[in-house]
Amino acid sequence: MTLTADYHTHTTYSHGKNTVLENATAAKAAGLNEIGITDHGFNHILFGLKRKKLSDLRAEINDAERLTGVKVLMGMESNITSCDGATDMKKEDLKYFDLYLCGIHEVLRFKSLSDFCKICVKNYSAYKFAVKPPNKVIANTTRTYIEAVKNNPIDILTHINYKCFCDLVQVAKCCADYGTYIEINTKKRHVSAEELNAMAATGVRFVINSDAHSADRVGDTKIAEEILATAQIPLEQIDNIGGRLPKFRFAEYKEKNL
């Protein structure tokens, strides 16, 4: 499997170990055409990207692209902050970015205490104690993902179902309708081959991402290859392999609205 681009990497702007240039240099060594620099969203309490650093980040991205010849996209792995699908990527932030990733994380500022309990506490408790979450929790998480995709021009949902629980098929149907990709993450195992098959049957498109927190993992595909070896999804449904590049909805949104 030949990866064309890796759209989920972290740098020292959140809690990655390496610089933008080091990640881009690793991407070039791996034969990638593009790389996304997608540090954690603003509301992440421990590692969130700082708005005052955006101009510095853009400058480093421009330099890295010039020095390596690899297309470097300035993105963010934003956080879903409420059950109504709000994220910490505000409308006024959109102009700074090229790429819009989004996921559910637990260590962040939620919109309300109720959102914190419903999204974080109830999901994480089920994960921590390895118990089946109540149907109500699954339904709420499903609705949260769907509202986020409907109400924001999200390019990629990251590590869906990791430490949280949703109806993957319903979320995949929504992503297929709105043009949002589902990530196959190679840092953590978040879906099984059977779950991947069920999502693929909706027609949703996928990207493989490393979620690299160090430059030596940029372009890694190991976990994805292991899962795909026992899944039955056509590789043509994965848009960042074999020389192909995805068509992202955020770029189209910016052309029309910003």
Side-chain angles (χ1 to χ4, degrees):
M1 178 185 296
T2 303
L3 200 67
T4 310
D6 187 349
Y7 294 110
H8 187 174
T9 75
H10 295 270
T11 71
T12 51
Y13 279 89
S14 57
H15 70 316
K17 294 180 180 179
N18 293 95
T19 65
V20 173
L21 178 58
E22 287 169 335
N23 278 17
T25 300
K28 183 177 182 178
L32 304 182
N33 295 343
E34 295 185 350
I35 185 173
I37 303 299
T38 52
D39 283 296
H40 284 289
F42 302 118
N43 280 34
H44 199 294
I45 293 171
L46 298 178
F47 307 116
L49 181 62
K50 307 299 183 187
R51 286 183 172 88
K52 65 183 179 181
K53 293 289 187 179
L54 292 180
S55 59
D56 293 339
L57 175 57
R58 174 57 75 183
E60 288 194 35
I61 282 173
N62 291 343
D63 286 345
E65 184 168 300
R66 175 176 54 81
L67 291 168
T68 64
V70 173
K71 180 67 177 176
V72 184
L73 301 176
M74 179 166 161
M76 188 172 82
E77 186 185 15
S78 63
N79 304 288
I80 299 176
T81 59
S82 73
C83 296
D84 62 6
T87 80
D88 54 2
M89 179 83 87
K90 304 304 181 187
K91 188 172 182 179
E92 57 268 26
D93 299 320
L94 296 177
K95 62 180 179 288
Y96 296 105
F97 294 92
D98 310 311
L99 187 62
Y100 190 165
L101 276 60
C102 190
I104 289 179
H105 299 85
E106 62 269 12
V107 187
L108 57 101
R109 295 184 300 278
F110 286 88
K111 192 173 180 180
S112 71
L113 180 59
S114 174
D115 293 313
F116 169 68
C117 291
K118 290 177 179 178
I119 298 174
C120 180
V121 175
K122 292 185 178 181
N123 271 300
Y124 188 75
S125 295
Y127 163 79
K128 186 69 175 178
F129 296 106
V131 298
K132 185 180 183 303
N135 290 337
K136 188 174 181 181
V137 172
I138 295 172
N140 182 73
T141 308
T142 302
R143 184 170 59 254
T144 297
Y145 272 126
I146 287 173
E147 289 302 312
V149 170
K150 284 182 175 180
N151 295 312
N152 303 279
I154 295 167
D155 290 321
I156 305 169
L157 282 186
T158 61
H159 48 69
I160 186 172
N161 248 32
Y162 179 67
K163 296 185 181 179
C164 59
F165 304 89
C166 71
D167 183 326
L168 288 166
V169 171
Q170 292 304 312
V171 176
K173 285 179 180 177
C174 180
C175 288
D177 288 342
Y178 282 82
T180 292
Y181 285 85
I182 289 181
E183 173 185 83
I184 304 172
N185 187 294
T186 68
K187 182 175 184 286
K188 45 190 69 108
R189 293 181 182 272
H190 60 110
V191 291
S192 66
E194 293 76 17
E195 290 169 332
L196 201 58
N197 290 339
M199 289 191 289
T202 70
V204 73
R205 311 295 295 182
F206 299 94
V207 290
I208 295 171
N209 284 331
S210 68
D211 193 359
H213 286 62
S214 58
D216 61 354
R217 284 203 62 256
V218 170
D220 175 67
T221 61
K222 184 175 183 294
I223 288 177
E225 293 192 42
E226 291 172 356
I227 296 171
L228 290 167
T230 56
Q232 284 83 48
I233 77 168
L235 295 184
E236 291 76 17
Q237 213 162 331
I238 303 171
D239 282 353
N240 64 330
I241 62 173
R244 296 190 300 279
L245 293 172
K247 185 177 181 180
F248 286 132
R249 66 183 287 206
F250 182 47
E252 292 184 355
Y253 174 90
K254 287 186 72 173
E255 284 183 9
K256 294 178 180 177
N257 298 281
L258 298 181

